[in-house]
Amino acid sequence: MEQNLRVTGLWPAIKTPQKSDGSPLWLSVLTFQTGCVLNDGREWNGSSRRWFPATDKGMSDIRELMSDTKYHAVYVSQSLFFEPKTKAGPHKTSANKPGVACLTHVWVDIDAYKVVPGWLDMSFDEQASLLVGEAMLAGLPVPSLVVSSGRGAYLIWRLEDPIWNISATKNGRKPGSIIEAINRHFARQLLHIGSDMKCVDMTRVLRAEGSRHTAITGATVRVIHDSKMSYSVADLRSALPWSREQVKAHKTAKKARKKAKVEEAKKSPTRVYDFAGEKAKREPGFTGFKYAHLILTDLRKLADLRWGGEVAEGYRDAFAHLAVSAVARYHKNPETLLCVAERVAGDIVCFDEQFSQHNQTAVELLKTGRKYAYSAQAMSDMLNVTPAEAEHLFVLCPASLKERRKKTQQRRAKGMVDRETYNQKRLEGSAEALKPWDTLGISRRTYYNRIKAGLIALPKVETVVSA
């Protein structure tokens, strides 16, 4: 694809390409504002996603947006997209990986204030010197930019040429995964100074340069060091602990092992499985994993009942928190807790930048072996589950409903029929169904009066056992 490069100002001297037809690529911008109130009177974080073309006019509009004091945070995507994606479009998610067109740099988000003593008391020069020095000691290239994000910092490595996220074959691996691998390795090498391992995927948003961290510090996001360095993808990939040849050899060996396993299976005699028996072995017993996924299933069902699949704004924090709490029932690694929660519940909750901040307590609890363990009633109250919604849920429903379901199952096991079948069988052959008064040419009232007088015999009705 032809690269018409221009400097747009996403980060200093970052070159942004256009499409081959001259049309611009797009940036996703996420804003947060205070004072937003829902119809039921509750406050929410006011998050909203907008799309701007990656042009001089688009960057000017983003800067104008940042100057509006009602927004306490403005985040910009670190990837460029082919076109805007809205919820009314073909995709439910608004900024997903399939829409990423190209990437212009590598980045690491550093929450140094959490682990570096005296970080907030350091000058910008001291912060930049510390971060560049730690990166070099970790065997990483010198960062092109060091950005103060208000409390933490971003390290940016410019690419000499943007990398297009287009695979050579239809089902081939897209080049954007290389940038994610580099992001992940660089962040892993800088864990000791507070790197954020959740901020490595290509759809990540970071605070925009020039925006203000008004929610906490009021500081402006700014570049505090520029080394003027630019790198090719090959230069940055050389910092990875494995070479391209090693990766290729690993994949070839893995493919050969899989093929050998298939061939071995073909040679072995056919095994007949008792699926019912195998299932019976797995069913008994209560585990945290089973219960957690029952909770997640209820959250997914509730989102489907209320909004058709994806949780609406204003409710995402509660749903995301309960999803994290559910995963913590069986997942014991605090470093990957939020990543796993985002993976298993990402189809119903749009995880934004505030997600990790809001659920940091769950991570800290898990480090000490503790976790949130809400009762079913507490979760139901938290989500304001109505009786009509509870009928479709398994965990997030009242104890009385669970007891009724249990008794119903016990009656079914004894061979008793359900109420609808009972009523149907009870009516079969009854006077109400046969209407003998029509046959006799008299009214219903006259028919029963004659039965009382002994003039007509009362028909026998078969007794049915009710559920």
Side-chain angles (χ1 to χ4, degrees), residues 133-315:
E134 292 297 330
M136 295 177 68
L137 287 173
L140 306 182
V142 176
S144 306
L145 301 173
V146 179
V147 181
S148 172
S149 62
R151 287 194 299 174
Y154 306 139
L155 298 183
I156 306 292
W157 288 265
R158 296 190 195 95
L159 294 179
E160 293 176 348
D161 297 306
I163 179 171
W164 286 91
N165 191 38
I166 301 175
S167 58
T169 60
K170 182 178 180 181
N171 297 319
R173 188 178 185 184
K174 293 189 175 181
S177 60
I178 298 174
I179 300 300
E180 289 186 328
I182 297 173
N183 284 350
R184 190 174 296 107
H185 175 67
F186 283 15
R188 191 176 291 113
Q189 296 302 108
L190 298 174
L191 276 172
H192 63 287
I193 56 173
S195 63
D196 188 351
M197 289 300 298
K198 298 181 292 298
C199 190
V200 299
D201 58 281
M202 66 178 81
T203 59
R204 184 58 57 176
V205 293
L206 299 178
R207 290 182 182 271
E209 182 189 9
S211 64
R212 297 181 67 83
H213 196 301
T214 56
I216 299 177
T217 64
T220 301
V221 179
R222 65 183 68 188
V223 176
I224 60 177
H225 175 73
D226 187 350
S227 68
K228 310 296 183 183
M229 299 288 290
S230 296
Y231 300 91
S232 67
V233 175
D235 292 335
L236 298 180
R237 189 161 50 190
S238 65
L240 298 176
W242 51 83
S243 65
R244 178 183 294 182
E245 290 73 20
Q246 288 174 318
V247 172
K248 187 176 180 179
H250 171 73
K251 290 183 177 180
T252 302
K254 184 178 179 181
K255 187 176 181 179
R257 289 195 300 269
K258 183 177 180 180
K259 184 177 179 180
K261 188 175 181 180
V262 172
E263 293 297 329
E264 183 65 26
K266 289 180 180 179
K267 296 178 183 178
S268 61
T270 304
R271 299 176 63 186
V272 178
Y273 287 94
D274 178 10
F275 288 103
E278 292 297 322
K279 184 178 180 181
K281 293 178 183 178
R282 296 191 299 267
E283 287 293 336
F286 174 86
T287 65
F289 179 86
K290 289 181 181 179
Y291 188 66
H293 280 271
L294 287 174
I295 294 173
L296 294 171
T297 300
D298 276 4
L299 293 177
R300 192 170 286 107
K301 183 64 177 179
L302 188 58
D304 186 59
L305 291 172
R306 291 183 176 179
W307 306 287
E310 186 174 351
V311 178
E313 295 178 343
Y315 294 86

Side-chain angles (χ1 to χ4, degrees), residues 296 300 319-328 330-331 336-349 351 355 359:
L296 294 171
R300 192 170 286 107
F319 273 75
H321 175 65
L322 290 180
V324 172
S325 302
V327 173
Y330 68 90
H331 190 80
T336 57
L337 172 64
L338 301 185
C339 294
V340 174
E342 185 171 357
R343 186 175 72 248
V344 299
D347 58 330
I348 57 170
V349 182
F351 292 92
F355 166 67
N359 291 280

